[in-house]
Amino acid sequence: MADGYLEKRYEDYEARKAQWLNTRHHRPQPGRKRPEKPDDEAL
């Protein structure tokens, strides 16, 4: 019983982890700004 329980919980954990990583991946970090590019790069 314990082995099946742990395997099921591990599969649930992996599914939740994958969903969390997919939703978080493309979100900008709060408080972090991208460096601005200068208008003229020759400067």
Side-chain angles (χ1 to χ4, degrees), residues 19-38:
Q19 182 181 10
W20 181 82
L21 288 174
N22 286 335
T23 57
R24 180 163 168 74
H25 182 62
H26 296 291
R27 222 181 263 173
Q29 294 288 332
R32 295 183 76 186
K33 296 181 180 178
R34 291 184 176 178
E36 294 181 14
K37 293 183 181 179

Side-chain angles (χ1 to χ4, degrees), residues 2-14:
D3 291 334
Y5 176 80
L6 293 176
E7 289 172 0
K8 176 65 175 161
R9 292 295 155 224
Y10 184 72
E11 290 171 2
D12 291 343
Y13 163 76
E14 288 295 326

